[in-house]
Amino acid sequence: MNAPVAWRDVTSAARLDLRRARDDAWSESTEAPVELAAGPWLVELRGDEVADIRFDGVTLLRGVRAVVRDHDWGTAATVSGAAAHDGDALRLDVRFTAPGIDLVGAVTLEATADSLTIALQATAAAPYRGNRAGLVVLHPPVLAGTALTVVHPDGSSTGTRFPLEIAPHQPARDVAALAWTAGGLALALDLHGEVFEMEDQRNWTDASFKTYSRPLDRPFPYEIPAGGAVRQSIALAVTRRGGSEPPRHPASTPIRLVATGAAFPGIGVGAGPASAAPPQPGPGAPGLAAVLVELDPASTSWRDDLARAATEAGAAPLDVRLVTDDPTTLGEAAAALAGRPVARVGVFSRTTHVTGPTASRLLGEALDAAGVTAERVGGARSHFTELNRGRHDLPGDLDALTFSVTPEMHATDTDQLIESIDMQRLVARQAVALAEESTTTGRVHVGPITLRPRFNAVATSGDGPTDEAERLDPATVDHRQTSSALAAWTVSSALALAVPGVASLSFFETTGPRGLLTAAGEPTPAATAVALLAELTGGEVLEPDRPTPAGVRLAGVTTATGLRLVAANLSGVEARLEVVLPEDEDDPRLLVVPAWGVAVG
């Protein structure tokens, strides 16, 4: 057995400068990352997460983290001290706190020339009642399609693959160990202290497959008595197989744009909450496709919410999402829409968050009786996850599908936001494939798109807050909503989601804590981005014929005034893109995209 290798801090000043610039762009102040090396191993400590685990420069794991969830799947706050050496090992003291939760312990890292062990030991300072307490392992999404061996607790094994398409359910269950290859390396991951399983987190636009415990078919919440301990560890062993070639990077040649067959989606926004400033007539951006409003016909304020949305929409139509488990209220709601410009209407269960066949049929009958002609949409008001899992139970009378995008379901750090962009492209493509199988038009409407979830879709303690209380819950608000970098994120999101079949995108809300306008009525950087995107509606989309620099999205969109180049940069380095336009092969256009910014040409 190889001897332990000591860890050393290799964080560069340039790395810290980039982090400070990123914090400025996102209007936040975060703990500086620490890069640590031990022999061939390189990891980055981001608070309590051991991230970007690399061996000889090859990324093996997206991260490993100790996570404690409460009875509603809320994440307990984690306080971690500075990493300290414990012999050749590294120790990170941690404490997990939330109402009714207090676990205290440590995460340790120990490396040899060919293995890495990460262990958690934590003790409940008070009785714990929750749904998860232990280590989670995040595998990078580039493993999609890679052969995977699953070793079970009884010693038997099953051959499978990391899912290529986004898997609705667990691709690996009853896990004691996993084995796969990456970058010419054979990897064996042993998991100790509990039985694990894997889920495909791309469902929530997370850039990972997650291996976690306990299995979800066990009862939860569960309890740990005061003084009880959580002891888990993962051990990753590496064997060099040889024969692999380092990745080849193409020479710097001009980017050519090719047609995708997509028309740029219509751009909508969500209606502001009733408690926000008085609504302003007319949409916040010329060319806005719709104003989306969610209404619970059983509430006392739904008519006021509808009136507010109609005022904000001006001449633009409404995109109405009815949220109810009482189908007898649909007739009254449909009647209230009569005479208003309505682009589309859907109905969703408040408890399951999806469209049921009976409710969909009754809504159709109510709309017909009220003389309301609108596109009928259905799917999930929560995440793509629920749409993906309920694909076989979709109503047969829908014109189009819909789902929401909320990249902060599992984590709220800025890396999570950035990494979600590529996953949004995967989710959009798979949703369109579902729509082509199950709807009359094969179209998809994506939205609401918000940074944090608008409600807790996985709560186990009941329906939770409703209506205005739900919309004003601090857990639904992100401090980066008014940051300058959110403009680049919004444009990146739109370019990622603009695949053939996606008909509209609805971003954020007009006003309020998730709004495009500040409390003083001034447009935020995201509002400027939405206005830019609205100008592109209906244009033919062209995309690069090769990968762009990391973090950079680029598209060409035909408009009435010609082809427009639009690019967004979610990295800390300026990007200089030499782009060949279809009508001018001999004169490439240079597009300079600032760090954390947007460029149009």
Side-chain angles (χ1 to χ4, degrees):
M1 182 175 179
N2 290 323
V5 181
W7 292 94
R8 66 187 192 281
D9 188 336
V10 294
T11 311
S12 67
R15 179 74 178 87
L16 297 178
D17 288 342
L18 285 172
R19 173 52 69 97
R20 283 189 286 269
R22 190 180 88 167
D23 280 359
D24 288 343
W26 286 97
S27 300
E28 61 182 350
S29 178
T30 61
E31 184 177 350
V34 179
E35 285 192 314
L36 298 166
W41 296 95
L42 185 66
V43 305
E44 183 170 283
L45 287 186
R46 299 176 188 163
D48 61 315
E49 180 184 13
V50 185
D52 290 343
I53 297 172
R54 286 157 280 177
F55 183 92
D56 280 350
V58 178
T59 298
L60 306 185
L61 297 175
R62 161 65 180 79
V64 176
R65 191 176 216 157
V67 172
V68 175
R69 305 280 195 187
D70 67 17
H71 62 285
D72 276 333
W73 293 105
T75 302
T78 307
V79 177
S80 57
H85 290 277
D86 185 2
D88 289 324
L90 204 68
R91 176 186 175 97
L92 188 68
D93 290 326
V94 292
R95 185 167 194 165
F96 307 93
T97 59
I101 294 177
D102 189 2
L103 277 78
V104 181
V107 174
T108 58
L109 287 74
E110 187 170 358
T112 72
D114 58 6
S115 68
L116 174 67
T117 300
I118 301 176
L120 165 69
Q121 181 163 330
T123 301
Y128 165 79
R129 180 176 180 270
N131 297 344
R132 179 171 299 153
L135 294 173
V136 299
V137 180
L138 304 180
H139 309 266
V142 294
L143 291 175
T146 299
L148 174 68
T149 299
V150 181
V151 180
H152 305 294
D154 64 2
S156 64
S157 63
T158 302
T160 184
R161 292 183 179 273
F162 286 94
L164 197 57
E165 287 197 345
I166 301 171
H169 301 290
Q170 285 78 0
R173 299 176 186 266
D174 197 28
V175 178
L178 299 169
W180 71 99
T181 61
L185 304 171
L187 309 175
L189 179 68
D190 290 327
L191 304 147
H192 303 282
E194 185 51 277
V195 177
F196 287 72
E197 64 186 16
M198 181 187 293
E199 71 183 8
D200 192 339
Q201 290 206 130
R202 298 176 301 171
N203 277 290
W204 295 272
T205 71
D206 293 38
S208 62
F209 304 97
K210 180 171 71 179
T211 299
Y212 60 90
S213 67
R214 303 180 338 164
L216 292 179
D217 58 6
R218 291 189 186 177
F220 61 85
Y222 64 96
E223 297 180 355
I224 300 173
V230 177
R231 296 184 181 89
Q232 294 184 10
S233 65
I234 65 109
L236 180 62
V238 181
T239 303
R240 292 180 174 87
R241 301 181 65 182
S244 65
E245 295 184 1
R248 295 181 178 179
H249 301 285
S252 179
T253 57
I255 296 170
R256 296 181 183 276
L257 297 178
V258 296
T260 66
F264 199 82
I267 301 298
V269 298
S275 61
Q280 299 299 314
L288 206 62
V291 169
L292 187 153
V293 59
E294 293 184 292
L295 303 173
D296 181 353
S299 75
T300 58
S301 63
W302 72 270
R303 291 183 180 275
D304 292 336
D305 292 337
L306 175 60
R308 179 189 181 92
T311 299
E312 291 182 338
L318 295 175
D319 180 345
V320 180
R321 313 294 175 90
L322 301 173
V323 183
T324 182
D325 288 314
D326 181 2
T328 65
T329 63
L330 295 176
E332 187 178 5
L337 300 180
R340 299 182 185 274
V342 179
R344 61 195 70 94
V345 186
V347 60
F348 306 85
S349 166
R350 177 167 285 283
T351 52
T352 67
H353 315 300
V354 298
T355 304
T358 300
S360 181
R361 175 179 57 80
L362 293 174
L363 174 62
E365 293 173 357
L367 293 173
D368 289 343
V372 176
T373 302
E375 188 175 29
R376 297 266 309 288
V377 299
R381 68 180 287 252
S382 46
H383 312 94
F384 175 74
T385 315
E386 286 75 28
L387 174 61
N388 199 17
R389 291 175 177 173
R391 62 171 73 186
H392 301 300
D393 300 318
L394 290 169
D397 57 354
L398 297 176
D399 295 320
L401 293 183
T402 186
F403 65 95
S404 298
V405 169
T406 57
E408 296 183 35
M409 172 65 179
H410 295 111
T412 61
D413 56 89
T414 297
D415 293 290
Q416 176 86 359
L417 289 181
I418 296 167
E419 293 169 357
S420 79
I421 296 297
D422 288 344
M423 302 304 103
Q424 291 179 35
R425 168 61 60 100
L426 297 179
V427 164
R429 284 177 170 164
Q430 195 156 324
V432 169
L434 291 178
E436 290 173 343
E437 297 172 356
S438 59
T439 69
T440 61
T441 67
R443 289 155 44 109
V444 172
H445 299 278
V446 184
I449 301 168
T450 56
L451 298 184
R452 291 199 178 186
R454 308 178 322 283
F455 58 93
N456 185 350
V458 293
T460 62
S461 60
D463 294 344
T466 61
D467 304 329
E468 191 70 359
E470 179 179 272
R471 300 182 73 183
L472 296 180
D473 183 349
T476 71
V477 179
D478 192 286
H479 64 275
R480 292 160 291 202
Q481 186 68 43
T482 59
S483 68
S484 61
L486 190 59
W489 188 91
T490 302
V491 172
S492 294
S493 173
L495 298 186
L497 293 167
V499 302
V502 171
S504 75
L505 310 172
S506 183
F507 285 98
F508 310 122
E509 294 174 358
T510 53
T511 55
R514 294 194 294 265
L516 294 170
L517 300 178
T518 67
E522 297 297 323
T524 64
T528 303
V530 167
L532 165 65
L533 296 170
E535 295 174 1
L536 306 177
T537 297
E540 180 187 10
V541 178
L542 296 89
E543 293 189 342
D545 63 347
R546 61 180 177 82
T548 51
V552 176
R553 280 271 169 187
L554 168 69
V557 182
T558 59
T559 67
T561 58
L563 182 67
R564 297 185 71 181
L565 297 180
V566 181
N569 186 357
L570 287 176
S571 82
V573 180
E574 176 185 273
R576 301 176 68 85
L577 307 177
E578 194 175 6
V579 185
V580 175
L581 304 183
E583 71 274 11
D584 199 351
E585 294 277 340
D586 298 325
D587 188 18
R589 185 184 301 180
L590 179 64
L591 190 65
V592 180
V593 195
W596 308 112
V598 175
V600 179

